[in-house]
Amino acid sequence: SSLSNSKDEL
Amino acid sequence: MNIFRLAGDMTHLASVLVLLLKIHTIKSCAGVSLRTQELYAIVFATRYLDIFTSFVSVYNTFMKLVFLGSSFSIVWYMRYHKAVHRTYDREQDTFRHWFLVLPCLVLALLIHEKFTFLEVLWTFSLYLEAVAILPQLVLLQRTRNIDNLTGQYIFLLGGYRGLYILNWIYRYFTEPHFVHWITWIAGLVQTLLYADFFYYYFLRFIGGRGVE
């Protein structure tokens, strides 16, 4: 899902 | 985390520190667009809404707090600090930046990855950040040449998202299913808007003159 790996960026 | 993203975050941090250095030490914001700073404060406020709900890492939370704190304190300095406010070029900084907010919000309501409150505002912050530099670039054209600190600030601010593009390319090839068109296109547009600034900025380095 998008939460996993695009919300870990600033 | 990869070196491109770390370099991007450090470049972004450096841009904020250069601006805070200029405003806090020489108490001047000459050549700096308050409107761009206000847009950036909105960008961070809408992008980091999940700061208390989703913990990624100490680094991530720390950097979010730094960007939130610095963007709002820069706006405060430029609006309310007597000495700094006096150096603010109100007559020249007239780009109708509120006209940027609504289209970005509408676009985020139309094009997003998930239709949830946080995701739409997060997407809005990506679109808004892509165009947030416009008032600053317009002010730059009007004030002709600027001091080195302001030039370095804009250069670093433009460079950070360019490094993020390298990060996205790296992650696309190393992580399966890492595809985020919205982030990528917004980041590309944002970086392309700096193209002519970068051109003149490098000319300055070659020519050794101020940024014309």
Side-chain angles (χ1 to χ4, degrees):
Chain A
S1 81
S2 78
L3 193 63
S4 62
N5 54 19
S6 94
K7 297 299 182 299
D8 63 353
E9 296 183 345
L10 290 170
Chain B
M1 175 62 82
N2 57 66
I3 48 157
F4 303 111
R5 183 145 71 95
L6 185 62
D9 289 343
M10 292 304 109
T11 304
H12 191 189
L13 180 64
S15 75
V16 157
L17 294 179
V18 161
L19 188 54
L20 272 172
L21 176 83
K22 173 184 162 84
I23 288 178
H24 186 72
T25 50
I26 56 178
K27 295 288 183 281
S28 161
C29 65
V32 178
S33 164
L34 171 59
R35 293 168 183 233
T36 284
Q37 299 310 315
E38 287 168 345
L39 290 178
Y40 257 99
I42 296 169
V43 165
F44 293 133
T46 51
R47 183 165 312 170
Y48 300 151
L49 286 172
D50 63 351
I51 189 169
F52 299 114
T53 54
S54 75
F55 177 80
V56 173
S57 70
V58 172
Y59 169 82
N60 186 273
T61 304
F62 174 72
M63 294 298 278
K64 285 176 177 176
L65 291 171
V66 167
F67 291 139
L68 278 167
S70 57
S71 60
F72 279 92
S73 55
I74 286 166
V75 168
W76 181 86
Y77 258 114
M78 292 183 70
R79 274 186 171 273
Y80 306 114
H81 187 286
K82 231 179 11 295
V84 175
H85 182 72
R86 212 179 10 250
T87 62
Y88 169 50
D89 198 350
R90 169 197 302 275
E91 287 72 33
Q92 301 262 39
D93 188 20
T94 58
F95 190 99
R96 287 181 175 70
H97 58 323
W98 301 122
F99 283 16
L100 295 173
V101 172
L102 200 62
C104 289
L105 189 56
V106 169
L107 193 61
L109 287 166
L110 295 175
I111 305 173
H112 42 260
E113 282 187 11
K114 280 182 305 183
F115 191 69
T116 64
F117 178 72
L118 280 181
E119 186 74 18
V120 168
L121 282 185
W122 182 79
T123 310
F124 162 71
S125 80
L126 282 175
Y127 297 149
L128 189 62
E129 187 186 5
V131 294
I133 197 62
L134 285 175
Q136 178 64 62
L137 293 179
V138 166
L139 180 62
L140 193 57
Q141 307 241 339
R142 291 180 181 165
T143 52
R144 303 308 302 155
N145 60 348
I146 51 168
D147 61 272
N148 287 341
L149 279 174
T150 309
Q152 273 145 16
Y153 162 68
I154 300 171
F155 173 73
L156 292 165
L157 189 60
Y160 110 83
R161 213 64 180 168
L163 288 165
Y164 254 75
I165 291 172
L166 299 181
N167 152 65
W168 292 324
I169 294 169
Y170 176 84
R171 293 188 74 176
Y172 174 78
F173 287 111
T174 54
E175 293 174 34
H177 316 305
F178 186 83
V179 177
H180 294 285
W181 287 110
I182 292 174
T183 311
W184 297 347
I185 292 170
L188 190 60
V189 166
Q190 176 171 337
T191 306
L192 292 177
L193 284 177
Y194 285 81
D196 71 325
F197 171 81
F198 284 144
Y199 172 71
Y200 288 111
Y201 192 78
F202 286 117
L203 276 190
R204 175 192 77 122
F205 264 126
I206 297 162
R209 295 184 309 282
V211 181
E212 290 297 330

